Amino acid sequence: MKATIITIGDEILIGQITDTNSGFIAKALNKIGVDVHEMISISDDKNHILETFAKVQNQVDFVIITGGLGPTKDDITKITFCDYFLDTLERNEAVENHIVALFTKMNFVVSQVNLDQALVPSKCTVLQNNFGTAPGMWMQKENTVFVSLPGVPYEMKAIVTNELIPKIVNEYKRPYILHKTILTYGQGESIVAKRIEEWEDKLPTFVKLAYLPSPGRVRLRLSARGLEEYFLHTTINRLVTELQEIINDIIVGFEEDESIEVVLGKLLAQKGFTLSTAESCTGGKISEVITSVSGSSAYFRGSIVSYATDTKVSILKVNQSTINAYSVVSKQVAEEMACGAQKLLQTDFAIATTGNAGPAKGDADATVGTVCLAIATPKGVCSEVYNFGQPRQKVIDRAVNKGLELLLKEILKNY
Amino acid sequence: MKATIITIGDEILIGQITDTNSGFIAKALNKIGVDVHEMISISDDKNHILETFAKVQNQVDFVIITGGLGPTKDDITKITFCDYFLDTLERNEAVENHIVALFTKMNFVVSQVNLDQALVPSKCTVLQNNFGTAPGMWMQKENTVFVSLPGVPYEMKAIVTNELIPKIVNEYKRPYILHKTILTYGQGESIVAKRIEEWEDKLPTFVKLAYLPSPGRVRLRLSARGLEEYFLHTTINRLVTELQEIINDIIVGFEEDESIEVVLGKLLAQKGFTLSTAESCTGGKISEVITSVSGSSAYFRGSIVSYATDTKVSILKVNQSTINAYSVVSKQVAEEMACGAQKLLQTDFAIATTGNAGPAKGDADATVGTVCLAIATPKGVCSEVYNFGQPRQKVIDRAVNKGLELLLKEILKNY
C-alpha cells in the first residue's frame, strides 16, 4: 500500500517553519507496511490544493494532509475538502462537546471561532483530537482515502497514533516491512562504502541498503520487504551479523533508530553508573541531550555550565595556574573541568568541554572551531582536541556527539 | 519568478531524517523575490525522479534539487540528470583538483569513489562546493533551470549562499517581496485572530497575513509584494504600527524572524546585564538556547543543572527545610534555586526551573507536566507555576520559552 503526505501552509514554502510532521507520519505508516510515495508541501491556496488532490487521486491508497485546519482566516483546508468531495459543512456534536469541555477545563471562554471548529464535512469520519480543537477528518473518493489532520505537531501525533494507525491496521491488509539501522562512528561515508562494497553487492533483491550520513557518524539502514515475517527477520539478522564482522572496529551501536544518548543511558542505568557534565562551548547541550531521555534522572546528576572563564575556577575548582599556563581552551583545562564536575556532583563519570565555537575568537587564543573534550572516569581522566570548523551550530553539535561517543567507547572498552 | 524544491532520498520518505534543506533554500529564494511553488520529497528511484522532472518542467523557472549526490551506491541523481538532459558524464578538472586538495588538507588518501565525484554532465555549469566533494550542477531545459545540490546541509548552504543566489541575482530580474514577522506572547491563535479581525479585513490586496502558532506564542507574518520597494516598506511599517496598537498588551518582540533568545540577548548586552540559570526539569536547555546565540558570552555567565535533588542543596544552597516543607517541585524551591544561581554565578538576573517533565512521576508529588519558574532580579525574586501537559519534550520546550519570556517581560517592564 502507498501513501502521499501533503503539507499545506505558506509558512513552510517561505521557509519560516520546518515540516517535521511528514517525517513522523511517514515513520508511523512505514511501521505498518504503508510506503510513502511522495511528500508534497503546497500553499494555503484553494486551487493549488484542489489541483494537488486531483494529481494524487488513485495514484496512492492514502493521502495524509496536515495543516490548514487552525481557527484563523488563512486556514482553508476544510472548505476545500467540501469542494473536492462535493459536500457541505455540518456541526458535529461530539466535536463541539469536546471543544466546550477543553475550554472549560482550562478556564477559558469558548469563542465562536473555536466553536466553528466543530463544523466538518457531513460525509467525513471524525478522528478525535484529544489535545486540541480541530478534529481529524477521513474521507474516501474512488480508490483513495484522504485524511486531513491539524498541523500542530502534538495534536497531529496523538491523532495519528491513537486514531489513524489503529484504523488502517484494523481495516486494511498490508505487506511486512522490516528496517534495521546500524550506527557507525568515526569514519566517513566513502570509507564505510568501500569496506562493505563486496557485502553490499551480494544483498538479496528484497533488501535495500541506504547510507544516512550526519556529522561524525554514518547510519546504515537495511530494509527488507515481503510476506514472510520470520524469513525477513532471519535474513536481516544474518546480514547484520555479517556487517558487524566487516566493520567491527568502527561500529558502536546497532539498535534501530536509537540515538547515542538512549544507548548511553541504557548502558549507564544497566551498570549502575552516574554521570555529570562540565560544559563551556557546548553551553549545556550535552546535559540537555542526556536529559531529553525519560528516566535519565536514574543516572544523570547534573551539569555545571561554566561559560565565563572565572566560573571554571570558582565553581569547578580549575587551577588558575593551569589556565595561565595552557589557556582556557586546552586539554589540561578540560581535564580539570571534568574532574571538578565529577567531584562536585559526585558521579562516576563526567564529560567536559572547552572550546571556541565561533564565529569570533573568544577569551582564548584557540582557533575558531577548536574543542577540547575530557572524560573523567573512576580510573582517571582522558582528553582529546578537535577542530570542527564552522559554523557555530555545527561545532556545538559535533562536540556534543563526540563527547557522548568518547564516553560510550570508554565504558564499552573498560567497564 | 517561481521555484519548486525537490528533495531526493528514501531516508526522508521513511521518516528517518527531517528535510531542513528545503526550508533554508526557500528562505534564500524568497529574500530575492523568487516564490516557492511546491516542495516535493521523492525516492532514490530513477523513474520517480524522471517523472517528477517532467511534471515540473516549464511549470516553474527554477527547480532546486537536493540529495542523491553522495559518493555511495544509493545516490543516483547525477546519472538521472544525464538521462533527462541527454548528456554524458565528463571529468571536471577544477572539481577534481578541489577534491584532491580537500583530502590532502585533511591528511586523507583520496579514493576512486571520491575522485569520481568530479564526473559531471558535460553541459552543466558547476557550482563550487567549498566544504565537500560533490559539486552543485546548473542545467537548463526550455524555460526551466534545474539545479542539483548535495544533501549535506553545510555543503548545500554554502553553495546556495555563495554560488546559487548570486548567480540568480546577477542573471534574472525579480519582483520585490517584503516580509515582516511580529512575535506575540501569552495568547492563543484564536484570541489574537479575534482581536485583529477588523484590521485584517482592511489589509491591501498586495499584503498577505499568516498565523504561525507554536507553543506559548503566535507569530504574525505580513508579506507584501510589488515593484516599488519604498512603497512596500512604508505600507508594511504603517500596518505594523497599527497592529502594535491593537495588541500592544500581548506583544513582546517584533523583529523579522528574530527568536526570543536573540531579542533577549540584545537587550541584556545593551543594558550591560548578566544572566545565569539554575535548571532542573529543563536539563540545561535554557542555557543551551541562550548560548546558541553568538556573542552570548558578553552577558551569559553559566548555569547549574541540578538534576538530582541533593545537588540543589549542595551546590545551589537551597534549604533542605524548604524542600521538606514545599516539595522539590514548588515555587519556593524555584525561587531559592534562582537566587542560588544569581549568587554563585554573580549575575544580575537568573532563571530557575523545577518541575516534572514526565512521562513518569519523579521524586516529587507534582503532577506530570507541572513546572515552577522563578526569575531572580536585582530587586528580588518572582515565580510562576504552570502545567504544560505532555509529552515530555513539549513540557521542556514550553518551560524554556516561558522562562525566557518571563525574563524578557521583567526587564522590559522594570529595567
Side-chain angles (χ1 to χ4, degrees):
Chain A
M1 305 203 90
K2 289 198 297 182
T4 281
I5 300 171
I6 299 176
T7 314
I8 297 174
D10 289 344
E11 64 274 22
I12 290 168
L13 294 180
I14 68 157
Q16 197 141 13
I17 66 164
T18 299
D19 167 34
T20 55
N21 286 351
S22 298
F24 179 88
I25 297 167
K27 230 175 195 166
L29 290 173
N30 243 270
K31 279 201 186 131
I32 59 163
V34 177
D35 271 349
V36 174
H37 176 64
E38 284 187 357
M39 293 173 179
I40 310 173
S41 293
I42 58 174
S43 64
D44 285 317
D45 174 88
K46 198 173 173 179
N47 289 330
H48 197 173
I49 302 173
L50 288 173
E51 273 165 32
T52 309
F53 283 4
K55 257 189 231 167
V56 296
Q57 178 70 54
N58 299 334
Q59 197 189 47
V60 291
D61 306 284
F62 300 100
V63 177
I64 316 292
I65 303 136
T66 66
L69 283 185
T72 54
K73 303 196 175 200
D74 59 339
D75 290 324
I76 54 154
T77 310
K78 211 156 59 174
I79 299 154
T80 314
F81 243 51
C82 284
D83 257 44
Y84 190 70
F85 290 97
L86 307 170
D87 200 357
T88 49
L89 292 178
E90 201 177 80
R91 197 162 292 272
N92 182 297
E93 216 186 302
V95 175
E96 186 169 292
N97 292 341
H98 164 69
I99 293 170
V100 172
L102 205 70
F103 275 73
T104 309
K105 200 177 152 194
M106 296 191 296
N107 272 325
F108 283 159
V109 179
V110 196
S111 68
Q112 192 57 45
V113 175
N114 295 120
L115 281 178
D116 284 351
Q117 299 219 274
L119 292 171
V120 298
S122 72
K123 294 175 218 156
C124 89
T125 305
V126 162
L127 304 178
Q128 176 76 29
N129 179 357
N130 288 321
F131 295 111
T133 48
M137 294 174 283
W138 167 294
M139 292 184 95
Q140 180 147 6
K141 185 170 182 173
E142 296 159 19
N143 298 322
T144 305
V145 169
F146 290 75
V147 179
S148 167
L149 301 172
V152 179
Y154 306 112
E155 299 181 17
M156 176 281 298
K157 285 180 186 175
I159 301 178
V160 168
T161 309
N162 305 326
E163 304 278 330
L164 178 63
I165 297 296
K167 191 169 163 70
I168 297 175
V169 168
N170 285 334
E171 299 177 11
Y172 296 84
K173 257 191 123 163
R174 295 142 290 109
Y176 197 78
I177 301 182
L178 189 66
H179 296 298
K180 188 95 185 171
T181 304
I182 297 112
L183 284 167
T184 76
Y185 291 96
Q187 295 291 350
E189 187 181 1
S190 60
I191 292 170
V192 174
K194 215 178 152 49
R195 294 267 292 271
I196 66 171
E197 195 173 20
E198 207 178 308
W199 169 85
E200 190 179 347
D201 286 339
K202 285 186 292 193
L203 285 179
T205 50
F206 61 92
V207 176
K208 279 193 83 174
L209 175 74
Y211 289 79
L212 315 173
S214 52
R217 53 177 118 164
V218 177
R219 285 179 296 174
L220 301 171
R221 193 195 59 239
L222 285 164
S223 307
R225 161 188 303 263
L227 291 171
E228 291 287 339
E229 181 174 344
Y230 179 75
F231 175 67
L232 294 184
H233 268 289
T234 52
T235 307
I236 287 280
N237 286 344
R238 175 178 59 79
L239 292 169
V240 168
T241 308
E242 287 175 16
L243 192 59
Q244 280 177 250
E245 276 164 24
I246 302 169
I247 54 172
N248 67 340
D249 57 327
I250 56 170
I251 196 165
V252 188
F254 39 87
E255 273 300 323
E256 191 167 331
D257 280 349
E258 262 183 354
S259 60
I260 188 163
E261 58 272 21
V262 171
V263 174
L264 184 63
K266 280 187 183 171
L267 199 66
L268 289 166
Q270 184 194 318
K271 292 186 184 276
F273 286 135
T274 55
L275 176 64
S276 62
T277 71
E279 307 187 44
S280 188
C281 62
T282 48
K285 189 158 190 180
I286 300 182
S287 172
E288 188 247 313
V289 166
I290 291 167
T291 58
S292 71
V293 180
S294 65
S296 50
S297 58
Y299 48 86
F300 187 69
R301 291 189 36 85
S303 172
I304 306 297
V305 182
S306 52
Y307 214 58
T309 297
D310 63 277
T311 60
K312 294 179 179 68
V313 177
S314 63
I315 303 173
L316 287 169
K317 308 300 176 201
V318 170
N319 288 301
Q320 184 62 52
S321 58
T322 311
I323 297 174
N324 296 345
Y326 301 100
S327 115
V328 72
V329 177
S330 63
K331 288 176 67 159
Q332 289 80 359
V333 168
E335 291 186 1
E336 289 191 17
M337 286 173 67
C339 295
Q342 187 188 31
K343 197 174 163 193
L344 184 62
L345 289 150
Q346 299 170 36
T347 55
D348 300 306
F349 293 88
I351 308 172
T353 61
T354 177
N356 182 356
K361 274 206 175 195
D363 291 352
D365 285 333
T367 331
V368 169
T370 299
V371 176
C372 302
L373 276 160
I375 308 288
T377 76
K379 297 175 187 169
V381 61
C382 56
S383 58
E384 298 284 345
V385 183
Y386 300 91
N387 191 297
F388 297 127
Q390 277 295 283
R392 181 179 180 84
Q393 202 52 52
K394 176 182 161 192
V395 176
I396 295 171
D397 289 343
R398 293 199 63 166
V400 170
N401 279 336
K402 192 50 93 175
L404 296 174
E405 182 191 330
L406 286 178
L407 177 62
L408 187 60
K409 280 189 174 164
E410 180 63 27
I411 297 177
L412 286 172
K413 213 171 113 194
N414 296 322
Y415 294 89
Chain B
M1 304 202 92
K2 289 199 298 181
T4 281
I5 301 171
I6 299 176
T7 314
I8 296 174
D10 289 343
E11 63 275 21
I12 290 168
L13 295 180
I14 67 157
Q16 197 139 15
I17 65 165
T18 299
D19 167 34
T20 55
N21 286 352
S22 298
F24 178 87
I25 296 167
K27 230 174 192 164
L29 290 173
N30 243 271
K31 279 199 186 132
I32 59 163
V34 177
D35 271 348
V36 174
H37 175 65
E38 285 187 356
M39 294 174 178
I40 310 174
S41 293
I42 58 174
S43 63
D44 285 319
D45 174 88
K46 200 174 173 179
N47 288 329
H48 197 174
I49 301 172
L50 288 173
E51 274 166 31
T52 310
F53 283 4
K55 258 188 231 168
V56 296
Q57 178 70 54
N58 299 334
Q59 197 188 49
V60 291
D61 306 283
F62 300 100
V63 178
I64 315 292
I65 303 137
T66 67
L69 282 185
T72 54
K73 303 195 172 201
D74 59 338
D75 290 325
I76 54 153
T77 310
K78 209 155 63 174
I79 299 155
T80 313
F81 243 49
C82 284
D83 257 45
Y84 190 71
F85 289 97
L86 306 172
D87 199 356
T88 50
L89 292 177
E90 202 177 77
R91 198 162 291 272
N92 181 296
E93 217 186 302
V95 176
E96 185 168 295
N97 291 341
H98 163 71
I99 292 170
V100 172
L102 203 70
F103 275 73
T104 310
K105 201 178 150 193
M106 296 192 295
N107 272 325
F108 283 159
V109 179
V110 196
S111 68
Q112 191 57 45
V113 175
N114 295 120
L115 281 177
D116 284 351
Q117 300 219 272
L119 292 170
V120 298
S122 73
K123 295 176 218 158
C124 89
T125 305
V126 161
L127 304 178
Q128 177 77 30
N129 179 357
N130 288 322
F131 295 112
T133 49
M137 295 175 282
W138 167 296
M139 293 184 93
Q140 179 148 8
K141 186 170 182 172
E142 297 159 21
N143 299 322
T144 305
V145 169
F146 290 75
V147 179
S148 167
L149 301 171
V152 180
Y154 306 112
E155 300 181 17
M156 177 280 298
K157 286 180 185 175
I159 301 178
V160 168
T161 309
N162 305 326
E163 304 278 330
L164 178 63
I165 296 296
K167 190 169 164 69
I168 297 176
V169 167
N170 285 335
E171 299 177 12
Y172 297 85
K173 256 191 124 164
R174 296 142 289 108
Y176 197 78
I177 301 181
L178 190 66
H179 297 297
K180 188 93 185 173
T181 304
I182 296 112
L183 285 168
T184 75
Y185 291 97
Q187 295 291 351
E189 186 181 1
S190 61
I191 293 170
V192 174
K194 212 176 156 49
R195 293 268 292 272
I196 66 172
E197 196 172 18
E198 206 177 309
W199 169 86
E200 189 178 348
D201 286 339
K202 286 187 291 192
L203 285 178
T205 51
F206 61 91
V207 176
K208 277 191 84 174
L209 174 75
Y211 289 79
L212 314 172
S214 52
R217 54 178 121 164
V218 177
R219 285 180 295 177
L220 301 172
R221 193 196 60 240
L222 285 165
S223 307
R225 161 189 304 263
L227 291 171
E228 291 288 341
E229 181 174 345
Y230 179 76
F231 175 67
L232 294 184
H233 269 288
T234 52
T235 307
I236 286 280
N237 287 343
R238 174 178 60 77
L239 291 169
V240 168
T241 309
E242 288 174 13
L243 193 58
Q244 280 177 248
E245 276 164 25
I246 302 170
I247 54 172
N248 66 342
D249 56 327
I250 57 168
I251 197 166
V252 186
F254 39 89
E255 273 300 322
E256 191 167 332
D257 279 348
E258 261 184 353
S259 59
I260 187 164
E261 58 271 20
V262 170
V263 174
L264 184 63
K266 280 187 183 169
L267 197 67
L268 288 166
Q270 183 194 318
K271 293 186 183 276
F273 285 135
T274 55
L275 175 65
S276 61
T277 70
E279 306 187 45
S280 187
C281 62
T282 46
K285 190 157 191 179
I286 299 182
S287 171
E288 188 247 311
V289 166
I290 292 166
T291 58
S292 70
V293 180
S294 64
S296 50
S297 59
Y299 48 84
F300 188 68
R301 289 186 40 82
S303 172
I304 307 297
V305 182
S306 53
Y307 213 58
T309 297
D310 63 278
T311 60
K312 295 180 179 69
V313 177
S314 63
I315 302 173
L316 287 169
K317 308 302 176 200
V318 170
N319 288 302
Q320 184 63 51
S321 58
T322 310
I323 296 174
N324 296 345
Y326 301 100
S327 115
V328 72
V329 177
S330 63
K331 288 177 68 160
Q332 289 80 0
V333 168
E335 291 186 1
E336 290 191 18
M337 287 173 67
C339 295
Q342 187 188 33
K343 196 173 165 196
L344 184 62
L345 288 149
Q346 298 169 35
T347 55
D348 300 307
F349 294 88
I351 308 173
T353 61
T354 177
N356 181 358
K361 274 208 173 193
D363 291 353
D365 285 332
T367 330
V368 168
T370 300
V371 176
C372 302
L373 278 159
I375 307 288
T377 76
K379 297 176 189 168
V381 62
C382 55
S383 58
E384 297 285 345
V385 183
Y386 301 91
N387 191 298
F388 297 127
Q390 278 294 283
R392 182 179 180 84
Q393 203 51 53
K394 175 183 161 192
V395 176
I396 296 171
D397 289 344
R398 293 200 64 167
V400 169
N401 280 336
K402 191 52 90 175
L404 297 173
E405 182 193 330
L406 286 178
L407 176 62
L408 187 60
K409 281 190 173 163
E410 179 63 28
I411 297 177
L412 286 172
K413 211 171 113 193
N414 296 322
Y415 295 88

